[in-house]
Amino acid sequence: MSEMEAKWMILLLSTCWMFCGAVNEFYSSTDHMTRLIDIRKEFARCLHGYIEALEGQVDALKRTLNTLEKDFDDAPEDPEKFISNPLAAFQLVRKLSRVWATTQEHLEGRRNTETLEKLRSTAQTLPGADDVDGVVMALVRLQEMYRLDPRNISLFSQVSHNLTLDPDETFHIAMISYHSHRLQYALLWMEETLRKLDEGEEANVTKDEVLYQLASFSHQLAVIQMPSRPEPTNGGLLHPALHKSLIESIKTWEWTAKYIPHTDTENTYEALCTGKRVAMTPQRERKLVCRYRRGRGNPLMLFKEEVEWDQPMILRYHDFLSEGEIDTIKTLARPKLSRAQVIDAVSGKRVSAASRVSQSAWLYEDEDPVVTQVNQRIADVTGLELQTAESLQIANYGIGGQYEPHYDSKLTNDSDFQLRGGRIATVLIYMSDVDIGGATVFPDVGAALQPKRGSAVLWFNLLRNGNEDIRTLHAACPVFVGSKWVANKWIRTYGQEFRRKCSTIKSD
């Protein structure tokens, strides 16, 4: 392959990577990430085919060159006398006139064109730089939530065939952490990079580069922590003792609460996500029961009801969806997820690149009998009117996917509010188990619900007097290990006048 062809290939692949990064956003859906396994195989197959085509092209060009050199191997002693011979002139001109045509035929061969087009097409399905950065940010989110040191992220390796990161990869994570203003994590990952280099691991990044960045990070963090400390004097490098103390301080995480402001809600949210629970009185614990319950909308239906929380009332219905229904819903949603922009389910606005954590799609009543069945079952169990309810939303969380604390109830400036009212109730259906993380937590009351495949959770966002129930502030914890699929059904207030009793009491 010539230098020009090599440059063309590099340009082609880099262009495709940039293009695909803007479209696919693999990191925002674990289902999309799973597709990368097949995409890798297909791209390798196409690339192998293109290499074979190029090798055939090179062989053909070599044959053309050999023929050319052989035909004109013996230069005439008297070129003018030689060319004056009409037969010699005819032969020379004919052969030379065919050289470029033959060469061009090899360069633009049909097989080459077909394999290159196939390679171009396959390259458009590859992840891009945004996906790499998105996965890094997901890793940092997990590190932040679950208080993980780079050397102790063993839970990842346990489920991933003991994978380890090389120094270039840890350096990349450090730099992305720095540019996203996570200075403490940047310092930890840069320290890990230095450790790997000291142990002799090969890398493109040099030790000098790492030491420079490490000194810069340490100095910036020292200024944040100890603004009165004098500037470093040893050639701009931070004093080793101070650097060591900073690393140890970060690893204990003692400084996090001191130097990064957190509200009580944020602290409770993180505590619930990491497995801590709020103690309940024995009287309240006795209310958390399991029972068979007839449907509120259809007394002939029998549901397995569990009281997950009493204030506010949060109910879980086990075996709400069958395995077949789950598979059908996922199958219906997947094509839409691959085309969907990432939308905030509460505000309805497109989510910024920094906070993309899931992909969402909507399934409508007439799309499939299974959607109709699920909607009817929701009506049966809640006893609420679904004519003004929103369509069934399907979400697949990405790597480290989470949702910050929020309320489901819509505000009065919602464009649909005048037509359908606010979101009176939420039905959240879990369509997968999650190995670690992914809980739905209510920070203001201390409730934490673990995803359980096939179960549905119900709570009311509005009090009987129509006001927002502030206790329903909830969040989705980051998915540590596993894939999280959920279906949401938001039920609106209009049409519920005879389905749920109203009250004028302020506390109701």
Side-chain angles (χ1 to χ4, degrees):
M1 186 188 302
S2 68
E3 182 180 356
M4 183 61 69
E5 287 173 322
K7 289 181 178 178
W8 164 245
M9 279 295 298
I10 293 171
L11 178 62
L12 165 69
L13 293 176
S14 62
T15 302
C16 287
W17 274 67
M18 289 188 293
F19 173 77
C20 297
V23 175
N24 289 321
E25 297 172 351
F26 285 96
Y27 60 88
S28 60
S29 167
T30 54
D31 190 58
H32 287 182
M33 292 293 292
T34 303
R35 288 169 44 208
L36 289 177
I37 306 298
D38 292 331
I39 288 174
R40 181 193 64 180
K41 293 179 181 177
E42 177 63 15
F43 185 76
R45 188 184 66 80
C46 292
L47 187 57
H48 181 72
Y50 186 64
I51 290 172
E52 284 187 339
L54 290 178
E55 288 174 344
Q57 182 185 55
V58 170
D59 290 340
L61 290 173
K62 283 182 178 179
R63 287 193 298 270
T64 301
L65 176 61
N66 290 336
T67 301
L68 184 64
E69 290 177 338
K70 181 180 178 182
D71 288 341
F72 302 101
D73 189 30
D74 297 325
E77 294 181 2
D78 188 345
E80 186 175 356
K81 183 178 180 180
F82 173 80
I83 206 66
S84 64
N85 184 323
L87 295 180
F90 164 72
Q91 192 177 61
L92 175 63
V93 171
R94 183 176 181 277
K95 286 180 179 179
L96 289 179
S97 69
R98 298 181 63 182
V99 166
W100 173 240
T102 304
T103 303
Q104 193 171 31
E105 182 180 340
H106 294 320
L107 289 173
E108 300 176 358
R110 180 179 176 182
R111 187 184 177 198
N112 295 340
T113 303
E114 289 177 351
T115 54
L116 182 57
E117 288 303 318
K118 181 66 175 177
L119 190 62
R120 280 199 186 106
S121 176
T122 308
Q124 291 180 5
T125 63
L126 294 171
D130 285 348
D131 279 297
V132 178
D133 294 351
V135 174
V136 171
M137 290 311 302
L139 180 61
V140 172
R141 279 200 305 272
L142 292 170
Q143 185 179 11
E144 185 174 29
M145 175 63 69
Y146 297 109
R147 298 295 189 257
L148 298 171
D149 181 82
R151 296 188 66 175
N152 295 326
I153 307 185
S154 57
L155 286 173
F156 290 114
S157 61
Q158 288 175 10
V159 297
S160 303
H161 310 290
N162 294 319
L163 294 177
T164 58
L165 300 178
D166 62 39
D168 291 321
E169 291 167 333
T170 54
F171 182 80
H172 188 147
I173 296 174
M175 295 308 298
I176 295 298
S177 300
Y178 172 72
H179 290 305
S180 62
H181 310 292
R182 263 80 165 187
L183 190 58
Q184 68 277 25
Y185 305 108
L187 187 58
L188 287 174
W189 283 105
M190 200 61 72
E191 180 81 359
E192 177 68 359
T193 305
L194 181 61
R195 183 188 69 81
K196 288 177 174 290
L197 292 176
D198 284 340
E199 291 180 353
E201 293 191 34
E202 294 184 1
N204 292 322
V205 65
T206 66
K207 194 171 180 179
D208 286 343
E209 289 179 88
V210 173
L211 287 172
Y212 175 81
Q213 296 293 347
L214 196 55
S216 174
F217 296 169
S218 300
H219 174 55
Q220 292 182 56
L221 192 56
V223 170
I224 294 173
Q225 289 207 13
M226 294 158 281
S228 61
R229 181 172 290 276
E231 295 288 318
T233 57
N234 53 334
L237 297 179
L238 201 67
H239 191 279
L242 177 55
H243 167 72
K244 183 177 180 181
S245 69
L246 281 172
I247 290 291
E248 293 305 316
S249 175
I250 290 173
K251 288 181 178 179
T252 62
W253 302 97
E254 294 174 354
W255 67 277
T256 305
K258 183 177 180 182
Y259 292 98
I260 297 181
H262 284 281
T263 65
D264 289 340
T265 295
E266 288 173 326
N267 283 330
T268 306
Y269 164 51
E270 293 184 0
L272 290 170
C273 287
T274 53
K276 297 177 183 176
R277 294 291 180 264
V278 174
M280 297 182 71
T281 63
Q283 292 83 356
R284 289 185 62 191
E285 282 188 349
R286 283 195 289 270
K287 297 179 182 179
L288 307 184
V289 297
C290 294
R291 60 201 174 199
Y292 283 98
R293 178 71 175 263
R294 295 192 181 279
R296 293 172 176 81
N298 182 357
L300 299 178
M301 294 288 292
L302 200 61
F303 294 96
K304 299 176 182 177
E305 183 181 83
E306 178 183 359
V307 181
E308 286 272 7
W309 206 255
D310 62 330
Q311 300 173 10
M313 184 67 73
I314 304 174
L315 303 172
R316 187 193 295 262
Y317 295 93
H318 295 273
D319 302 324
F320 192 78
L321 290 188
S322 68
E323 290 296 320
E325 288 171 331
I326 291 174
D327 291 340
T328 298
I329 290 173
K330 287 183 178 181
T331 300
L332 292 171
R334 279 192 174 101
K336 297 185 178 186
L337 290 173
S338 63
R339 300 190 303 267
Q341 289 185 330
V342 187
I343 303 297
D344 186 313
V346 177
S347 68
K349 298 179 180 178
R350 195 178 196 282
V351 181
S352 66
S355 58
R356 290 173 192 164
V357 292
S358 67
Q359 292 273 10
S360 300
W362 301 88
L363 298 184
Y364 302 100
E365 180 74 27
D366 57 353
E367 277 192 66
D368 191 275
V370 167
V371 179
T372 304
Q373 291 170 16
V374 172
N375 286 335
Q376 184 59 54
R377 199 169 301 144
I378 290 172
D380 291 341
V381 76
T382 63
L384 297 176
E385 171 61 55
L386 298 192
Q387 188 173 356
T388 58
E390 298 173 44
S391 297
L392 195 66
Q393 187 202 54
I394 312 303
N396 177 223
Y397 282 72
I399 305 298
Q402 66 176 24
Y403 210 113
E404 298 290 342
H406 65 282
Y407 294 100
D408 279 353
S409 49
K410 290 277 190 174
L411 302 176
T412 54
N413 60 359
D414 168 31
S415 59
D416 277 348
F417 182 82
Q418 300 300 326
L419 296 175
R420 298 193 284 182
R423 288 172 170 171
I424 189 173
T426 294
V427 177
L428 172 62
I429 305 172
Y430 296 111
M431 297 194 296
S432 67
D433 296 318
V434 179
D435 297 330
I436 304 175
T440 305
V441 298
F442 293 72
D444 285 355
V445 298
L449 315 178
Q450 295 299 323
K452 181 173 173 50
R453 184 179 173 92
S455 68
V457 175
L458 164 68
W459 69 85
F460 284 88
N461 301 299
L462 303 178
L463 299 169
R464 291 185 180 275
N465 59 26
N467 293 330
E468 183 177 67
D469 189 341
I470 60 173
R471 300 171 300 177
T472 61
L473 181 76
H474 61 286
C477 297
V479 177
F480 196 150
V481 179
S483 178
K484 183 179 178 181
W485 284 84
V486 298
N488 293 294
K489 188 73 174 180
W490 286 294
I491 304 173
R492 297 289 191 134
T493 54
Y494 288 8
Q496 314 305 337
E497 293 82 358
F498 300 103
R499 301 297 183 99
R500 189 186 189 219
K501 280 186 177 181
C502 296
S503 173
T504 57
I505 300 174
K506 188 175 182 180
S507 59
D508 281 357

